[in-house]
Amino acid sequence: MSDEKKEEQKGIVEGKKAPEFKPGAGADIGTSNIVLARQKPDGTFVNRFHRDMLYPLDVSDESNDLLERSDYLFVKVNDKYYIVGEDALKLVNAIGNGEVVRPMKDGILNPSLKESSELLFYVIKAVVGEPVVENEPLRFSCPANPVDRDLDNLFHKMILENFFKRLGYDVKPVNEAMAICYDCNPVMKSDEGDIPISGISCSVGGGMWNLDLSFKGLSLVELSCTKSGDHLDEQVSKVTGMPKSKVIKIKEKQLDLNNVDMSDRVQAALSIYYDEMLERMVHHISNEFKDKSSEMDGEIEVVVAGGTSMAPGFCKRLEEVFKTSDFPFKVYGVRHSETPFYSVAQGACIRAQADYAKTQE
């Protein structure tokens, strides 16, 4: 069976008439997941996603037999098969050998995987699909350049723009954290009253933390930090000897930061490295805001989204770190997005719809 045929069979919407959507799509191109958001005329968001991970298999009679017997979504590149998405994680855990690879690392294309752009396009194509109108506006998430590492996102941004243009979209990037601002609306408390779309928006992903300081919808400071969720998984794997794929499973299925089972070595290590990550990130953020002499005349709210933030108790721990740190602004609360996994894509969708509305004026 061909790869294209398998992709059609395993599509998220199969054999059904697609619902009517408002023109304008949002895509969250993350290190761990690819998410597409669209909105129905009644305002309901419809989200589709795929894990941004692959499990490589050498082309052989055995691997051919495995793929013929299964319904795994895969793509063949050169002399390897790559099992795509959730299937990759299931297979590596079943086999108990090897590790999944990602076409992205630290929020941008993985430079150590030479096939990264081709593989990423395959995943994007499977999730995003075709425009609902000709030259439909699409906004995709793009990270800010990190403050803790010499990385530039220009190449990554241009590659993604080319991907979406090939699919027929009128495409523009949107800062990843600012997309959360559009979706979650942080509120600043001041002497003049509550000021909407003002505060800190934070996307806690697999590769990076992305942050934005905004005032009345205007982005004032955009920054990112590396060593986020994937780094956490790698460190826990090293100190416990547990394969990273199994660490991911425990983090996503069992970990509760409000009630950590300290007799479980993996959960205990996850708790320790979550604390280290939170303290390191707030330290970087504080220094950057101080260096830029940013000022906010009021108490601000921090809104948080992203897959790495989804462990229960995450926001409570982050709020405690803000309270004990030398942070340059008064933070009155940390609020979790109601849809933390989809928030970036939904905010990007909101911006894309505004782009479409301008074309209709």
Side-chain angles (χ1 to χ4, degrees), residues 264-291:
D264 184 310
R265 293 180 66 231
V266 173
Q267 289 195 43
L270 283 167
S271 176
I272 290 167
Y273 280 102
Y274 258 106
D275 284 342
E276 184 277 331
M277 180 179 66
L278 290 169
E279 291 172 4
R280 172 166 42 83
M281 294 302 172
V282 172
H283 173 74
H284 280 305
I285 300 164
S286 298
N287 288 342
E288 285 298 308
F289 286 156
K290 290 174 184 175
D291 289 345

Side-chain angles (χ1 to χ4, degrees), residues 152-354:
D152 184 90
N153 67 19
L154 179 61
F155 176 74
H156 171 78
K157 181 169 64 176
M158 298 303 293
I159 289 290
L160 289 178
E161 284 185 0
N162 182 58
F163 283 172
F164 290 113
K165 286 177 181 177
R166 286 165 59 187
L167 293 174
Y169 289 93
D170 179 12
V171 60
K172 293 180 182 178
V174 62
N175 176 266
E176 183 174 323
M178 196 64 197
I180 293 173
C181 182
Y182 298 135
D183 185 54
C184 297
N185 183 22
V187 175
M188 185 175 81
K189 297 184 180 297
S190 73
D191 294 339
E192 302 173 3
D194 290 352
I195 303 176
I197 324 179
S198 302
I200 292 177
S201 306
C202 182
S203 174
V204 191
M208 287 181 170
W209 279 54
N210 271 271
L211 295 105
D212 179 90
L213 175 66
S214 60
F215 181 70
K216 295 184 177 180
L218 176 66
S219 177
L220 304 178
V221 180
E222 297 175 353
L223 60 94
S224 71
C225 305
T226 61
K227 297 182 179 179
S228 188
D230 283 354
H231 174 76
L232 187 153
D233 299 337
E234 290 165 4
Q235 297 309 304
V236 171
S237 177
K238 286 179 182 178
V239 300
T240 62
M242 182 75 69
K244 190 169 67 173
S245 57
K246 295 188 181 297
V247 170
I248 293 171
K249 185 176 181 180
I250 291 171
K251 182 179 72 174
E252 294 180 352
K253 303 294 185 182
Q254 300 178 30
L255 182 65
D256 183 345
L257 293 173
N258 291 314
N259 185 26
V260 178
D261 180 1
M262 297 303 288
S263 67
D264 184 310
R265 293 180 66 231
V266 173
Q267 289 195 43
L270 283 167
S271 176
I272 290 167
Y273 280 102
Y274 258 106
D275 284 342
E276 184 277 331
M277 180 179 66
L278 290 169
E279 291 172 4
R280 172 166 42 83
M281 294 302 172
V282 172
H283 173 74
H284 280 305
I285 300 164
S286 298
N287 288 342
E288 285 298 308
F289 286 156
K290 290 174 184 175
D291 289 345
K292 296 181 185 301
S293 300
S294 303
E295 294 185 6
M296 298 288 276
D297 294 327
E299 297 184 358
I300 65 171
E301 182 180 35
V302 178
V303 292
V304 179
T308 302
S309 75
M310 291 175 65
F314 178 92
C315 286
K316 182 179 179 181
R317 289 201 183 190
L318 178 57
E319 190 164 13
E320 288 301 315
V321 175
F322 275 120
K323 287 179 181 178
T324 58
S325 70
D326 185 23
F327 199 66
F329 308 132
K330 292 181 180 179
V331 175
Y332 73 82
V334 176
R335 173 165 57 93
H336 211 194
S337 167
E338 293 180 1
T339 53
F341 191 79
Y342 305 115
S343 194
V344 171
Q346 290 176 179
C349 179
I350 290 168
R351 287 302 305 159
Q353 289 175 11

